[in-house]
């Protein structure tokens, strides 16, 4: 889902057909900057790229005449929409239907031309408040019910209260399982899978990894095509899963941490909703593994969404 970063820009991942009529869509990280009047896209989140990395594409908002749903024009491209810019049409794919609707809305609102009334001065280049309001992050509350921590959204702006994790179906290409986990008992034990960005232990660099959460472990791979994980973290060694308090210091959005006896893993998700989804999934797996009797002794801080588990 698109979200507002710390510089008040709307950001998120989309797939774009960079070569017109090629039918080949490539995953890119988009930044909609209304103050600069531009839509730019990078190979990845610039936070994960070398300092000074250039964008791979850009478009001035003044060139955009209309943004609309293109699923009928491109029936083979799931959740597709089109950006009309002069003589060129840019076709993009969202992650799901709600993602498509939100990107179409924010792009159309960003490209609206507002004629000021006499005496009003210059028109504002800022995003309309109703659009920014719809992009605000979700607040959560945590309750202990039957000894099990339950996390639920208490406030969500702009989408009628629908939880981001339940909006439409995830695109298969983005959430596919590794080929060796696509069948049998292994598939039944799988709880959550997807790409995140992780900080290295020694070099402290950030690399995109494919994460798998199963009943007893969370592991990560170089990609979803790899058979052998780079590391396996037994859930019994996890003491705490929480939104990272050092996200401002690290200059990272959507950052959470998994604390074990030997190391703290810093993991960045693609959106606030995805970050909360990972925290909820890992915490739930730990509770299920250790049982409600032991989880009742857990310490839960609702305001900062911290789940601490007994050793």
């Amino acid at each position: 889902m698109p979200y507002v970063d710390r510089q008040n820009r709307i950001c998120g991942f989309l797939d774009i057909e960079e070569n017109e009529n090629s039918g080949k869509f490539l995953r890119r990280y988009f930044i909609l900057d209304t103050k600069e009047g531009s839509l730019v896209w990078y190979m990845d989140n610039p936070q994960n790229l070398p300092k000074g990395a250039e964008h791979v594409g850009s478009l001035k908002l003044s060139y955009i005449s209309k943004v609309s749903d293109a699923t009928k024009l491109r029936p083979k491209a799931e959740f597709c929409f089109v950006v009309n810019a002069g003589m060129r049409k840019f076709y993009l794919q969202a992650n799901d239907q709600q993602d498509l609707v939100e990107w179409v809305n924010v792009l159309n609102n960003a490209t609206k031309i507002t004629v000021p009334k006499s005496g009003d001065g210059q028109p504002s280049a800022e995003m309309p408040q109703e659009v920014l309001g719809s992009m605000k992050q979700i607040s959560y509350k945590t309750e202990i019910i039957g000894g099990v921590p339950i996390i639920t959204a208490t406030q969500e702006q702009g989408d009628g209260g629908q939880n981001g994790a339940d909006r439409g179906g995830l695109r298969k290409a983005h959430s596919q399982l590794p080929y060796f986990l696509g069948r049998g008992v292994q598939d039944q034990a799988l709880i959550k899978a997807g790409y995140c960005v992780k900080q290295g232990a020694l070099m402290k660099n950030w690399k995109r990894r494919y994460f798998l959460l199963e009943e007893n472990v969370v592991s990560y791979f170089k990609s979803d095509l790899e058979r052998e994980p780079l590391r396996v973290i037994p859930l019994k060694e996890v003491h705490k899963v929480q939104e990272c308090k050092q996200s401002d210091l690290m200059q990272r959005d959507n950052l959470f941490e998994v604390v074990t006896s030997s190391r703290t893993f810093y993991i960045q998700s693609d959106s606030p909703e995805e970050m909360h989804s990972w925290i909820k999934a890992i915490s739930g797996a730990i509770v299920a593994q250790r049982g409600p009797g032991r989880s009742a002794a857990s310490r839960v801080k609702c305001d900062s969404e911290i789940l601490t588990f007994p050793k």
Side-chain angles (χ1 to χ4, degrees):
M1 295 296 160
Y3 70 95
V4 180
D5 70 1
R6 61 188 71 251
Q7 298 179 51
N8 208 33
R9 305 172 303 182
I10 295 178
C11 310
F13 280 97
L14 294 166
D15 291 359
I16 182 171
E17 184 186 51
E18 291 187 330
N19 297 320
E20 196 169 6
N21 298 319
S22 67
K24 184 179 180 181
F25 287 79
L26 301 172
R27 194 155 188 81
R28 299 290 184 249
Y29 186 83
F30 283 76
I31 298 177
L32 173 60
D33 192 334
T34 54
K35 290 185 178 179
E36 294 293 329
S38 64
L39 175 69
V40 297
W41 53 97
Y42 294 81
M43 294 289 290
D44 194 0
N45 188 329
Q47 296 176 344
N48 307 322
L49 297 174
K51 190 174 182 179
E54 294 290 330
H55 54 71
V56 295
S58 65
L59 185 61
K60 287 188 175 295
L61 297 183
S62 57
Y63 294 167
I64 299 176
S65 58
K66 185 180 179 182
V67 184
S68 58
D69 189 320
T71 51
K72 292 184 179 179
L73 297 175
R74 292 292 185 88
K76 293 183 178 180
E78 199 172 15
F79 309 122
C80 185
F81 64 96
V82 60
V83 177
N84 295 277
M87 301 295 291
R88 173 74 193 272
K89 294 180 184 291
F90 292 87
Y91 287 92
L92 300 100
Q93 281 185 283
N95 296 311
D96 54 39
Q97 184 61 33
Q98 184 64 29
D99 196 32
L100 182 156
V101 171
E102 291 189 8
W103 273 109
V104 169
N105 286 341
V106 297
L107 285 169
N108 276 324
N109 277 285
T111 56
K112 281 182 179 177
I113 300 175
T114 303
V115 179
K117 297 178 181 179
S118 57
D120 284 351
Q122 296 296 323
S124 172
E126 295 182 359
M127 185 69 76
Q129 188 62 41
E130 63 270 18
V131 177
L132 289 177
S134 68
M135 297 291 105
K136 289 181 181 178
Q137 295 189 6
I138 306 168
S139 60
Y140 287 79
K141 68 176 180 179
T142 306
E143 300 174 297
I144 300 292
I145 301 177
V148 179
I150 303 296
I151 304 171
T152 55
T154 58
Q155 178 184 1
E156 188 173 61
Q157 299 285 343
D159 64 357
Q162 187 180 18
N163 192 305
D166 298 327
R167 297 166 180 162
L170 290 177
R171 288 185 48 226
K172 294 179 182 178
H174 183 52
S175 60
Q176 64 181 359
L177 304 180
Y179 69 94
F180 60 90
L181 281 177
R183 63 185 187 278
V185 178
Q186 289 173 310
D187 189 31
Q188 296 175 16
L190 189 64
I191 298 172
K192 185 173 176 62
Y195 279 95
C196 293
V197 177
K198 183 191 71 66
Q199 187 187 57
L202 300 177
M203 300 299 292
K204 303 301 181 185
N205 54 344
W206 296 82
K207 292 185 178 179
R208 199 162 185 81
R209 297 294 185 229
Y210 189 79
F211 283 76
L212 287 180
L213 173 62
E214 298 173 89
E215 288 180 338
N216 299 310
V217 300
V218 57
S219 50
Y220 55 86
F221 302 73
K222 189 173 183 179
S223 76
D224 61 352
L225 300 177
E226 297 294 322
R227 179 180 292 272
E228 296 297 327
L230 296 173
R231 180 154 185 167
V232 176
I233 308 169
L235 294 182
K236 64 182 180 180
E237 296 181 4
V238 177
H239 304 320
K240 186 162 55 178
V241 185
Q242 65 180 15
E243 185 172 352
C244 183
K245 296 180 178 180
Q246 302 182 58
S247 57
D248 289 338
L249 183 63
M250 292 185 172
Q251 291 294 298
R252 293 266 161 180
D253 297 312
N254 317 318
L255 191 66
F256 68 99
E257 57 189 21
V258 177
V259 182
T260 68
S261 303
S262 58
R263 178 182 167 188
T264 297
F265 294 86
Y266 294 102
I267 303 170
Q268 182 183 23
S269 300
D270 291 342
S271 68
E273 293 91 346
E274 191 65 10
M275 176 192 69
H276 288 295
S277 177
W278 273 108
I279 293 174
K280 180 179 179 179
I282 296 173
S283 302
I286 293 173
V287 169
Q289 182 193 62
R290 300 179 185 178
R294 296 191 65 183
S295 65
S298 302
R299 176 173 58 87
V300 181
K301 289 188 176 180
C302 304
D303 55 346
S304 57
E305 195 178 13
I306 300 175
L307 297 180
T308 305
F309 301 94
K311 299 181 181 179

